Amino acid sequence: MGIQIDVTEKALQAAARIGHNLCETAFWDEEKRLCTWMGRTDVEDASGAGYAAAVAALGPHLYGGTAGVALFLVELYGQTQDGEVLRTAEGAIRRSVKYLLNHEGLTSALSLHLSHIGVAYVFSRFMDFGLCDDLREDVERLLDQAKAALDKEHLLDLLGGNAGAIPALLALGRHPGFERCYELAQKCGEDLCRSTTQDGELCFWEATKASGPTFTSPPMTGLSHGACGMALALLELYAHTGGSEFLQTARAAFAYEDRLFSKTHANWLDVRFPHADNTGETVGSFQTTWCHGAPGIGLTRLRAISLDPEQADHHERMARIALSTTIAAIERGIEAPRFDTTLCHGLAGLSEIVLIFAEALGEDGYRQVASGVVSELLRRYDEAGDWPAGNMTGGVNPTLMIGTAGIGHHLLRLRSAPTVPPVLIIKTFLD
């Protein structure tokens, strides 16, 4: 992968093209204040034959909805001061807030990626730019609903529950008037600790309790649904509160996950799929994405280095193993004629993880890896704008985690990482 000297400026130009396309393809309400997009989505075939493609308006959320697009656009505005980008960003976040206030959600309001907390977190970035202050009271109502959701049935993992909410709430709490988010974050952490299953010095969360009734596997590994996502959230709380229960539970959860580490694969077993112990060596499935497997797990160990200094050596060792596995996955993806390029389970996500490592460890070689990935992706897809999406059936997808908004976000991060916070791991501003 050849590294072009001007790749960062080319990345900004490509991000601007993605942003302008989003502005051109937005659907606006009659008053031209709220906007959304149409995008491809996967619908499970009723016959059980697999997935069929459908086109639908985006939901309001961070992962696959208008809040995620709004996040990319407001970050792009921060780099370019483009007025049309700003107008569309504001239309998208306004639509997300209004939608959630007027519709009963299918997902707990505690969710970062799939409900209220994520929209509130995106709004906080608008506050950082001095924008959309008139939405403050509505966002406070979203947070009230999130607080009430803690007393109802809810999930626990990073994607849909407490573990995702905690770092976002800690980040939100630094904004004047939102200090109460600290208390809600602590309650989410206490709830996480109460919900564990203990096994000696290990602890874990039952899959159905953590991620919902469709997850019937043993307790999972991985960032989006597994032990490390919940452990990291508790470490963030420990750093903020000093609460020993958060520290001890996080350590026990990391220890559980490390029991499922394979030296042979330099990765952690994905227990959702068939697996067995074959004469002392685990045989099964090992993923290499942000959501499942070594890349996302590596992010949690990287962050744990500073949050739990007593175990920093162990966390750094596991983080560097995970990073090597991530780079190997990048090399395989680049060799493929066409490969998912998005954040959740594509090359932009893998490249972003390497970039986060480069920032945290101050090692320029890792930044060069990310630059090389972006250079190759620009060569293949920038001119036509034909970025391979992350949904199973392919097609145009404008969203953050499985579409072009997320690709644009990574391009901005490569060019201006210090001023564009990562989204694959939420900074709690306790660094």
Side-chain angles (χ1 to χ4, degrees), residues 4 31 69 82 94 98 118 146 194 198 279 307 319 324 336 392:
Q4 299 181 21
E31 297 179 355
V69 181
D82 186 306
R94 292 182 188 283
K98 182 175 181 179
R194 285 193 301 269
Q198 298 292 137
T279 63
L307 296 177
S324 295
M392 292 183 181

Side-chain angles (χ1 to χ4, degrees), residues 339-357:
F339 191 87
D340 176 4
T341 57
T342 59
L343 283 182
C344 183
H345 35 258
L347 281 168
L350 298 179
S351 179
E352 173 68 16
I353 287 167
V354 175
L355 180 61
I356 292 170
F357 268 84

Side-chain angles (χ1 to χ4, degrees), residues 19-20 22-23 28 32-33 35 37 69-94 125-127 129-133:
H20 293 153
L22 288 167
C23 293
W28 290 84
K32 302 293 184 182
R33 281 180 54 81
C35 68
W37 288 263
V69 181
L71 179 62
F72 162 59
L73 290 176
V74 78
E75 300 292 2
L76 179 61
Y77 167 73
Q79 300 300 312
T80 65
Q81 301 299 298
D82 186 306
E84 185 62 18
V85 167
L86 173 60
R87 185 177 82 93
T88 311
E90 290 183 332
I93 189 61
R94 292 182 188 283
R125 284 299 291 155
F126 280 78
M127 284 195 289
F129 289 106
L131 302 169
C132 292
D133 190 64

Side-chain angles (χ1 to χ4, degrees), residues 385-408:
D386 182 27
W387 299 94
N391 42 307
M392 292 183 181
T393 55
V396 176
N397 191 301
T399 65
L400 183 72
M401 294 302 289
I402 58 172
T404 53
I407 296 164

Side-chain angles (χ1 to χ4, degrees), residues 89-131:
E90 290 183 332
I93 189 61
R94 292 182 188 283
R95 189 263 184 170
S96 291
V97 172
K98 182 175 181 179
Y99 188 102
L100 288 179
L101 289 177
N102 290 306
H103 294 80
E104 190 70 29
L106 298 176
T107 306
S108 169
L110 281 170
S111 174
L112 169 65
H113 280 278
L114 305 175
S115 200
H116 293 45
I117 294 295
V119 173
Y121 174 74
V122 173
F123 171 69
S124 76
R125 284 299 291 155
F126 280 78
M127 284 195 289
D128 291 337
F129 289 106
L131 302 169

